Amino acid sequence: MKTNDIFLANAKSKSEILERPRVMGRNLNNALLLTIIMVLGAVGISKAQLAEGTYMLGTDLGSGITSTASNGLFGFNFGLNDGAGFNVGLAPKVGYFVSDNFMLGAVVNLGYTKAAESEGASESTLYGIQALSRYYLAPGEKGVDNLLKNGRFFMEANAGFAGVNVKEGPTTNGFAFGFGPGYSYFLTNNVALETSVKYNGLVGGGNTTYQHSLGLNLGLQIHLPSSDAKRAAQDRQ
């Protein structure tokens, strides 16, 4: 090989070595730009999950029914001592957005409480089915800004039939209702983690008087556009 050829080969090799960091830098910049675009796109898509024609389904922790025996955090309470009581409950929800940001649906209330043996070990069953409505506040609406770009404040209200039956004790079956503000944070385009503070009331026709309380709720909801829901139903067939 001639001296010139060797020199050119070495020069080309050095040039490639020097160019590699620049290429890697451009690739990293492109990857970062793509990531930013994807994140911004995800934020925009999450807002679309509150559009007309979207379904919502999920559940809250706790029964959502006021009761003198239901005093655990988020409606859950597990005693660790021997003979201690416990309190569990769930409130599955389903809804449909009849217009942008406005949803109508239903909630089923399920709960069970067993008092500690020191308190007589009484058992209570909580149940109900209620109509549900929810309105999400748009950014800047009514002077309320969202805490995070992936989150939205909402107002929720429910009303229907519910009951609290205490084994060998007083019972209350009647009209139940609740209302209060909440906040949804979209973990993904379709899944939202929620928290809310609601006033719950129960007007009974049984052996007890009017019961009411403030409840702190935690839940997980899935938002599906109607097109995705239809596609999922077709895939199951």
Side-chain angles (χ1 to χ4, degrees):
M1 179 179 295
K2 295 181 180 180
T3 304
N4 289 340
D5 294 337
I6 296 175
F7 176 79
L8 291 175
N10 290 336
K12 183 177 181 181
S13 177
K14 291 180 179 179
S15 177
E16 290 177 350
I17 293 174
L18 293 174
E19 184 66 19
R20 285 176 186 172
R22 297 191 184 96
V23 174
M24 292 178 63
R26 286 197 297 268
N27 290 338
L28 289 175
N29 289 336
N30 291 337
L32 180 60
L33 180 60
L34 180 61
T35 301
I36 294 174
I37 292 174
M38 291 177 64
V39 171
L40 292 177
V43 173
I45 293 174
S46 68
K47 294 179 181 179
Q49 307 312 315
L50 308 179
E52 180 180 351
T54 299
Y55 292 94
M56 188 195 83
L57 53 98
T59 186
D60 282 352
L61 302 181
S63 66
I65 299 296
T66 182
S67 168
T68 55
S70 179
N71 57 3
L73 181 63
F74 300 125
F76 284 77
N77 184 19
F78 296 92
L80 300 178
N81 297 328
D82 186 29
F86 62 91
N87 170 39
V88 295
L90 289 174
K93 296 179 178 181
V94 61
Y96 179 78
F97 284 80
V98 295
S99 63
D100 292 352
N101 300 323
F102 183 61
M103 184 208 72
L104 293 177
V107 55
V108 176
N109 312 104
L110 302 169
Y112 179 80
T113 298
K114 184 175 182 180
E117 292 182 2
S118 60
E119 300 175 2
S122 63
E123 301 178 23
S124 301
T125 302
L126 298 84
Y127 55 88
I129 182 168
Q130 303 182 62
L132 177 71
S133 65
R134 178 183 290 189
Y135 180 75
Y136 288 84
L137 300 178
E141 184 174 359
K142 302 184 189 323
V144 178
D145 291 325
N146 293 305
L147 293 177
L148 298 171
K149 292 183 179 180
N150 285 38
R152 295 285 293 272
F153 285 104
F154 63 83
M155 293 295 297
E156 183 175 281
N158 52 270
F161 172 81
V164 180
N165 290 349
V166 181
K167 186 177 181 180
E168 299 179 357
T171 63
T172 300
N173 298 291
F175 176 74
F177 66 93
F179 58 87
Y183 185 80
S184 292
Y185 179 77
F186 282 84
L187 302 174
T188 69
N189 294 336
N190 300 94
V191 180
L193 183 64
E194 300 182 345
T195 184
S196 63
V197 179
K198 294 179 67 177
Y199 175 86
N200 299 304
L202 179 60
V203 183
N207 302 325
T208 60
T209 58
Y210 175 64
Q211 300 180 47
H212 60 118
S213 66
L214 281 177
L216 178 62
N217 306 311
L218 182 68
L220 189 69
Q221 308 294 337
I222 299 175
H223 295 246
L224 287 176
S226 56
S227 58
D228 292 348
K230 292 178 181 178
R231 189 180 303 110
Q234 292 174 354
D235 292 340
R236 288 185 177 182
Q237 295 178 354

